[in-house]
Amino acid sequence: MSAKTILMNEQLVQYLRKNSVREPEVLIELREETQKLPNSGMQISPEQGQLMSMLVKLVSARKIVEIGTFTGYSSTVMALAMPKEGKLIAFDISEEYTRTARIFWKKAGVDQQIKLVLGNAKESLKNFLQAGEQESIDLAFIDADKTSYIEYYECCLQLIRPGGLILVDNVLWGGQVADVSSQNKDTEALRVFNSKLSDDQRVDLCMVPIGDGLTIARKR
Ligand code: CA
């Protein structure tokens, strides 16, 4: 019994994965494919993917927005958790990485459910809002450039319906957010973001120490 969160080591992570993670074959393959890339650390962990899949089901999400798609692990796992009529709009800047995502969306049979919007996500989100999408989204996942998190979050808060969720990745940033000696601009941006959310009465809040830290904000 403990009032503290358990510290995970490699052995315990393997145990947790073996005893709870149900990762579809297509996602195992995508993870292996992504490992070959120089930025493979940008991919979420399978246990985080499973938590996100659970959250999609818990809020009965039918319309999801993702900011930062990379090679498509999170979009695939979330699309698979929705019924066939569900839609996911994926915003990303990289044609190169999302090429892998497109291949795996097809393999997973979710390509018809996902719409990829390439380009500057801030502009794309503004266009999306202007098109009248306020409060039309059930769940948003933010996992792109850290210095823009506040702007993405504010846009998502307008897009999400009351009771909908905003998930934000990398909020613990490898532990650097709590390390005063770390002062690079991404770490500083995440500190400002985390501090802002802790006082934000527009949402219910929970920062989960899974993967690199996942914040769950529920719009009130
Ligand atoms: Ca991430």
Side-chain angles (χ1 to χ4, degrees):
M1 294 292 280
S2 170
K4 285 205 291 187
T5 299
I6 193 167
L7 285 174
M8 301 296 283
N9 59 28
E10 195 51 38
Q11 196 179 10
L12 203 46
V13 170
Q14 292 313 323
Y15 178 86
L16 178 147
R17 286 185 181 168
K18 185 163 176 281
N19 286 278
S20 86
V21 174
R22 302 171 182 173
E23 192 177 33
E25 200 58 47
V26 64
L27 288 178
I28 297 173
E29 201 188 318
L30 172 53
R31 221 151 35 84
E32 285 165 358
E33 190 64 33
T34 306
Q35 287 304 317
K36 298 173 193 164
L37 299 172
N39 285 341
S40 64
M42 279 166 62
Q43 181 168 246
I44 63 167
S45 69
E47 56 274 19
Q48 181 179 335
Q50 188 157 294
L51 172 63
M52 289 167 61
S53 166
M54 177 75 88
L55 293 170
V56 167
K57 291 180 182 178
L58 286 174
V59 297
S60 303
R62 298 289 180 274
K63 203 167 168 189
I64 295 175
V65 159
E66 174 178 86
I67 302 153
T69 290
F70 191 43
T71 57
Y73 192 98
S74 48
S75 50
T76 306
V77 85
M78 290 192 290
L80 284 170
M82 281 194 291
K84 278 289 166 208
E85 71 270 19
K87 290 271 175 243
L88 187 150
I89 303 103
F91 297 100
D92 202 281
I93 196 135
S94 168
E95 175 138 37
E96 186 193 344
Y97 288 139
T98 52
R99 206 173 296 139
T100 306
R102 284 174 195 268
I103 294 168
F104 279 86
W105 291 339
K106 223 178 185 85
K107 276 193 184 185
V110 293
D111 55 312
Q112 296 302 311
Q113 289 169 263
I114 300 176
K115 186 184 167 207
L116 176 64
V117 181
L118 280 176
N120 180 301
K122 278 178 246 173
E123 280 167 28
S124 305
L125 282 166
K126 267 180 208 140
N127 294 338
F128 201 59
L129 275 167
Q130 267 163 17
E133 295 284 352
Q134 281 85 351
E135 303 208 335
S136 74
I137 305 293
D138 302 303
L139 185 146
F141 179 48
I142 301 173
D143 188 14
D145 50 311
K146 311 310 167 198
T147 50
S148 302
Y149 264 25
I150 287 181
E151 279 173 81
Y152 296 144
Y153 171 77
E154 288 298 335
C155 277
C156 287
L157 207 51
Q158 293 182 60
L159 288 170
I160 293 286
R161 62 159 165 91
L165 303 180
I166 302 176
L167 312 181
V168 190
D169 199 32
N170 301 106
V171 291
L172 294 178
W173 205 229
Q176 290 185 74
V177 283
D179 175 357
V180 287
S181 69
S182 176
Q183 292 183 344
N184 63 73
K185 66 179 180 10
D186 287 340
T187 306
E188 197 44 52
L190 283 162
R191 283 186 190 126
V192 172
F193 177 78
N194 288 336
S195 160
K196 176 186 158 75
L197 256 69
S198 74
D199 294 330
D200 191 340
Q201 297 305 314
R202 298 171 295 177
V203 294
D204 300 313
L205 189 68
C206 186
M207 190 188 272
V208 185
I210 194 168
D212 193 26
L214 180 73
T215 282
I216 304 171
R218 178 186 175 275
K219 183 171 173 174
R220 288 178 168 164

